Amino acid sequence: SQQRAYCELLAFAQPCLSSARQLGLNFSAWGDFSCLAPDQTHFLLKQQEKALCRTHAQSAELVRDRELLFNQAALIHVLVTFKELLLKCDLSTALG
């Protein structure tokens, strides 16, 4: 069902959000997963992309950290986008 799919998505998203916060991704002002919108996470993803582009001439450790942040932001954006599809469409449309 749609509700079960949302619960599973939320269960998958929570550790991703926690990991992103631990890495320094700041989106806590926007609320929890249920409050995040694709526009917000897309903005966050673009910020991380810009930060990553600025670090390539710096230390390998800093580049690795920025890549981890970018990857987490991308994953969160995909999850939030899927959440919106799931809530606005039926399950078969969201998956199709």
Side-chain angles (χ1 to χ4, degrees):
S1 77
Q2 195 169 357
Q3 183 177 358
R4 182 167 178 239
Y6 178 79
C7 289
E8 288 185 30
L9 181 64
L10 183 61
F12 183 79
Q14 292 303 338
C16 297
L17 294 171
S18 295
S19 176
R21 284 187 185 101
Q22 289 174 355
L23 290 169
L25 209 53
N26 185 17
F27 52 87
S28 57
W30 296 336
D32 63 3
F33 182 72
S34 66
C35 298
L36 290 174
D39 288 345
Q40 294 171 314
T41 57
H42 183 256
F43 176 75
L44 185 67
L45 182 59
K46 293 308 266 181
Q47 283 183 318
Q48 293 308 312
E49 181 182 29
K50 288 177 185 175
L52 181 59
C53 288
R54 289 191 304 261
T55 60
H56 279 299
Q58 298 181 18
S59 75
E61 184 178 340
L62 183 59
V63 170
R64 183 185 58 81
D65 290 346
R66 292 287 183 185
E67 285 174 345
L68 284 172
L69 279 169
F70 176 80
N71 290 339
Q72 284 297 109
L75 178 58
I76 290 166
H77 178 62
V78 167
L79 293 172
V80 168
T81 301
F82 184 71
K83 174 196 72 159
E84 289 298 305
L85 286 172
L86 187 61
L87 295 177
K88 292 181 180 178
C89 308
D90 62 24
L91 184 58
S92 61
T93 303
L95 293 173

